[in-house]
Amino acid sequence: MRKDIIEIRWHGRGGQGAITAAKIVANAAFVSGYRGVVMAPTFGTERRGAPVFTSLKISPEKIYDLSPITTPDMVVVLDHTLLEEVNVVDGLKDGGLVVLNAPKPAGEYGFEGARVGVADVTAHAVAAGLPPGIVNSGIIGAFSRASGLVDIDILIPVIKKEFTGKRPEENALAAQRAYENTAFGE
Amino acid sequence: MHIIESGNVAAATGVKLSRAQVIAAYPITPQTPLTEKLSEFVESQELDAQYIPVESEHSAMAVCIAASTAGARAFTATSANGLLYMNEQLHWAVGARLPVVMCVANRGIGAPWTVWNDQQDSMSQRDVGWIQLYANDHQQIIDSVIKAFRLAQSVSIPVMVCYDGYLLSHTYMPFELPGQEQVDAFLPSFTPEHFLNPDEPGNFNTVTLPDTRAGVDGTVEPGYIEIRHNLHEDLRGALEVYGDIDAEYEKGCGRGGTPFIEQYRCDDAECVAVAIGSLSYQLRDVIDILREEGLRVGVMSVQMYRPFPDGAIVEALAGRKSVIVFEKALSYGNQGPLYADIKAALYSRGDRPPIQNYILGLGGREIKTSQLLDALKESCSAIEAFDDTPRWIGLKL
Amino acid sequence: MAHRDFCKMISRSKPGPGDGGKTGSWRVLRPILHTEKCIPVKAGKKACFNCWLYCPDCVVTKTIPPTIDLEYCKGCGICAEECPADAIDMVAEDTFSTEEK
């Protein structure tokens, strides 16, 4: 209802770290001056592999409404196999943005009325030195490039801090690589 | 210094800053990350405490009672069925006048089984005698935990700090971290009035007779009813003490000033919505929309529910054109607990407003802002239709 | 007094696959049944069927040999754990995906 809130929905599978990715972006947004930041994971029983989503709301002003996002401005998909199971663009506003981790070129993915940013985050993460399947750091780079919402230069130190003790340099590099290799479709 | 973290981490950090000494807890959704964080603090020695993993919530409170009786600052946390599992011990802790602090991540109670948020768990314990504080956001969670330890030790009554499971426990938002020195100055270590001490042997809470009795050294020992009467009187006295504690806390960090109720746009409101927890904040957006449409509405949250701050509530609500109480709990077979308490408080006032009760969100049923908007709009324009029967929002029968 | 029905509604679910959609995609480990070890197969008649009994999602058939519906099986591993003949192995799912896709 409030017009000043940017709503971003993150789709992943349990265990892929969608929450960590959204948390990093939330931190960076806050540092960038967005006073209002609320991040909510899927509420309920959890298990590895099951589709989950995380809601991230960003605003210059404090946010009071914690109810789930119904009409996101942006949707971030950590795992392209989810496209077959989940309607990731449910409620996406007209002209909204889809950021997708997928191996095929951007042109192969089309969502009516939406802009699409695609990066093969899975591959870039491996190239950056991470074990296969770690996509939550890389997807942040793709998100930054596609949305322009938060600067990659602000995100990188936040990523390193969040992954302290867990390959911070490689995770930051994955985000950088994904950022540089995000392509746009129609 | 701001951090962006979950409500559970806010609570755990509050416990760490308060230098709890004994933590005995059993995991239960949605509180589990709170206890996990505390065990991490203890393991990394950021918190110098004994962390005792117990096999049940009943034991968790039993251990807290034992630790508190020995003079240690004790803490536990739970939700829903876990709170009910320790119910017998809740009565014990308060009857024994022990300053235990507990966080309750509000969750609905089975049957049917649920893990999602409503407030039935703590609401169902309102008659036990524990002090009950409710937080509306993460900042209030961490601040209330710290104030709870101070309040508990000041009046020797256990305090539960309640916050919405999932909606607050698992969401992430920015909040300010109080500094350790500030908390140490606000919350000094304490020696309780009565504690297990080999130098002064005594029995605590043994059989206490219906009547008074002659004590060993010629004193008159109280009966059960005297002990319980004093608990009640001290609970009522805790209202003033908490007002002072909150004012002192506010002086130290600039946050607070709403120990009993928190009001938003109520100054000139004809119709006031009342709710507890994150729902009261969600209602703010609704208030803003209705204000733009010309309706004079406001929202008030209740921060301290027990002891019941009837003075503050009567002052805030008497003379209004209407009051609407939204609740995520129900005293089954009657009415919403908060609604009934508010009505009772206003009973003797000639200018008591018409009040309508709404029940919603049970078992985590999503509460849409549009539903709140419709309910408030409908209520404000049809006050003559108010009655004592709770209305339900969001049912799909 | 007007008649009313009490207890019109309780919370009750029937066992069976499909409540959460085609949850086979959640699998990280896949159960592989080695029929040469399977008790009803070796006996040639109805026997054991622990895997069918313990599967929380009812995706194991009470047949000789038992079969597992991989569209729904979430790979929880309870069948492997409960098989008294150790006839079921849990194998990493991604060793299969290239064949299937």
Side-chain angles (χ1 to χ4, degrees):
Chain A
M1 301 234 165
R2 259 172 58 182
K3 300 288 192 299
D4 58 308
I5 300 180
I6 302 167
E7 301 184 315
I8 306 157
R9 196 169 61 213
W10 303 69
H11 288 272
R13 292 189 184 277
Q16 279 180 332
I19 292 181
T20 305
K23 191 176 161 196
I24 289 169
V25 172
N27 266 296
F30 186 71
V31 165
S32 307
Y34 288 97
R35 270 189 66 225
V37 171
V38 169
M39 200 255 288
T42 310
F43 296 156
T45 48
E46 301 160 26
R47 74 148 271 168
R48 185 169 293 278
V52 293
F53 65 86
T54 298
S55 301
L56 175 61
K57 297 184 190 178
I58 298 176
S59 163
E61 299 301 319
K62 181 175 159 91
I63 297 171
Y64 290 93
D65 186 347
L66 306 177
S67 61
I69 291 175
T70 47
T71 53
D73 298 287
M74 305 177 194
V75 165
V76 181
V77 184
L78 275 74
D79 179 347
H80 66 103
T81 64
L82 281 167
L83 296 176
E84 291 143 42
E85 264 179 78
V86 177
N87 180 12
V88 300
V89 293
D90 186 33
L92 184 65
K93 292 196 178 82
D94 231 15
L97 173 67
V98 179
V99 181
L100 180 57
N101 166 25
K104 299 196 201 144
E108 309 249 352
Y109 302 97
F111 301 93
E112 214 182 294
R115 299 169 291 131
V116 186
V118 177
D120 191 352
V121 174
T122 309
H124 291 304
V126 171
L130 291 172
I134 307 284
V135 296
N136 60 338
S137 48
I139 198 71
I140 294 170
F143 171 76
S144 173
R145 179 80 177 83
S147 70
L149 193 61
V150 191
D151 224 47
I152 189 74
D153 297 322
I154 296 183
L155 284 163
I156 294 289
V158 180
I159 291 173
K160 288 187 186 172
K161 184 153 177 241
E162 183 68 33
F163 285 95
T164 306
K166 293 178 270 187
R167 296 186 236 253
E169 296 298 327
E170 289 87 335
N171 276 295
L173 182 56
Q176 189 70 43
R177 289 186 62 103
Y179 177 85
E180 285 158 12
N181 290 282
T182 302
F184 293 89
E186 261 320 293
Chain B
M1 181 195 128
H2 276 88
I3 60 168
I4 297 183
E5 262 297 348
S6 66
N8 276 332
V9 170
T13 312
V15 175
K16 177 180 74 128
L17 288 167
S18 303
R19 300 194 192 271
Q21 294 170 293
V22 174
I23 298 159
Y26 188 82
I28 181 169
T29 302
Q31 150 267 45
T32 309
L34 192 181
T35 50
E36 286 176 348
K37 196 70 189 174
L38 281 173
S39 75
E40 281 173 33
F41 285 150
V42 172
E43 212 216 336
S44 68
Q45 296 177 335
E46 264 181 87
L47 171 59
D48 179 18
Q50 282 235 36
Y51 185 91
I52 303 171
V54 286
E55 95 304 336
S56 76
E57 287 86 351
H58 187 277
S59 293
M61 186 51 67
V63 170
C64 285
I65 287 168
S68 195
T69 309
R73 189 172 274 158
F75 174 82
T76 188
T78 191
S79 305
N81 287 61
L83 181 67
L84 273 306
Y85 197 165
M86 60 163 76
N87 169 259
E88 164 193 45
Q89 300 288 56
L90 293 182
H91 288 269
W92 194 273
V94 71
R97 301 301 298 268
L98 296 168
V100 177
V101 171
M102 169 167 67
C103 278
V104 178
N106 288 123
R107 161 182 148 180
I109 311 172
W113 196 244
T114 177
V115 296
W116 291 274
N117 164 255
D118 69 39
Q119 289 163 353
Q120 190 72 21
D121 52 2
S122 56
M123 280 289 161
S124 73
Q125 303 305 298
R126 65 203 167 113
D127 292 339
V128 174
W130 276 60
I131 294 173
Q132 287 195 354
L133 302 176
Y134 286 83
N136 296 340
D137 67 6
H138 297 24
Q139 188 69 69
Q140 288 188 2
I141 291 175
I142 190 171
D143 289 337
S144 297
V145 166
I146 296 166
K147 286 186 270 190
F149 278 104
R150 173 75 183 271
L151 177 61
Q153 77 190 41
S154 302
V155 298
S156 292
I157 297 173
V159 180
M160 60 173 85
V161 177
C162 309
Y163 53 92
D164 289 312
Y166 282 132
L167 289 169
L168 291 180
S169 70
H170 280 59
T171 54
Y172 291 70
M173 61 174 85
F175 56 93
E176 207 173 324
L177 277 184
Q180 185 67 69
E181 297 99 56
Q182 183 219 324
V183 177
D184 287 342
F186 174 77
L187 184 64
S189 63
F190 75 110
T191 307
E193 288 269 345
H194 313 280
F195 63 98
L196 283 172
N197 182 357
D199 295 333
E200 283 179 38
N203 294 332
F204 290 97
N205 297 297
T206 55
V207 171
T208 304
L209 300 179
D211 208 341
T212 57
R213 65 175 174 85
V216 167
D217 39 4
T219 55
V220 177
E221 296 298 333
Y224 182 93
I225 195 173
E226 279 80 29
I227 306 270
R228 285 290 167 150
H229 164 267
N230 283 14
L231 164 64
H232 177 73
E233 289 298 303
D234 287 350
L235 266 169
R236 296 303 299 168
L239 284 165
E240 197 186 329
V241 173
Y242 190 57
D244 293 340
I245 285 174
D246 177 80
E248 187 186 322
Y249 192 83
E250 194 188 8
K251 226 166 131 196
C253 69
R255 293 186 308 273
T258 59
F260 308 118
I261 58 174
E262 192 179 358
Q263 295 170 296
Y264 178 70
R265 305 186 83 165
C266 287
D267 288 346
D268 65 334
E270 292 182 332
C271 163
V272 177
V274 185
I276 289 180
S278 60
L279 177 57
S280 69
Y281 273 14
Q282 186 179 1
L283 278 161
R284 289 189 177 202
D285 284 355
V286 175
I287 299 300
D288 286 341
I289 293 169
L290 291 175
R291 279 274 177 178
E292 294 215 351
E293 295 177 14
L295 283 165
R296 284 170 42 191
V297 291
V299 59
M300 177 184 109
S301 68
V302 176
Q303 309 294 131
M304 172 176 264
Y305 181 58
R306 283 293 183 272
F308 192 62
D310 43 325
I313 288 190
V314 168
E315 193 191 328
L317 298 180
R320 304 279 182 182
K321 220 164 140 206
S322 63
V323 170
I324 290 117
V325 182
F326 293 95
E327 290 193 77
K328 295 177 182 176
L330 182 56
S331 182
Y332 284 91
N334 197 25
Q335 297 155 347
L338 178 63
Y339 168 79
D341 282 347
I342 290 177
K343 242 189 0 176
L346 287 159
Y347 178 71
S348 57
R349 294 282 299 230
D351 57 351
R352 61 178 181 268
I355 318 182
Q356 180 61 48
N357 191 196
Y358 281 91
I359 307 296
L360 70 170
L362 300 187
R365 173 59 52 94
E366 191 190 316
I367 299 170
K368 298 193 216 277
T369 302
S370 57
Q371 291 169 325
L372 298 170
L373 201 56
D374 290 341
L376 262 184
K377 248 200 241 191
E378 170 198 313
S379 303
C380 289
S381 60
I383 300 170
E384 63 292 341
F386 280 17
D387 67 9
D388 282 336
T389 309
R391 297 178 187 166
W392 294 71
I393 291 179
L395 274 182
K396 298 179 191 181
L397 280 172
Chain C
M1 189 156 63
H3 171 81
R4 72 169 284 163
D5 287 324
F6 290 90
C7 205
K8 282 185 280 202
M9 202 188 283
I10 62 165
S11 176
R12 179 180 181 161
S13 55
K14 294 202 181 117
D19 203 45
K22 299 229 165 131
T23 51
S25 65
W26 298 12
R27 256 197 327 273
V28 174
L29 296 172
R30 178 184 296 199
I32 300 294
L33 171 61
H34 300 288
T35 51
E36 68 279 6
K37 295 188 194 169
C38 174
I39 292 172
V41 171
K42 281 162 66 174
K45 60 180 182 175
K46 289 186 193 174
C48 185
F49 287 131
N50 261 18
C51 50
W52 161 83
L53 179 66
Y54 281 99
C55 174
D57 282 349
C58 287
V59 298
V60 182
T61 56
K62 202 178 182 183
T63 53
I64 305 170
T67 63
I68 297 173
D69 187 343
L70 292 174
E71 273 201 324
Y72 294 101
C73 164
K74 295 195 193 86
C76 72
I78 289 176
C79 56
E81 175 72 21
E82 295 296 335
C83 175
D86 282 325
I88 301 178
D89 284 334
M90 298 305 293
V91 179
E93 180 68 24
D94 50 27
T95 59
F96 298 95
S97 38
T98 36
E99 290 154 45
E100 283 174 4
K101 281 158 190 170

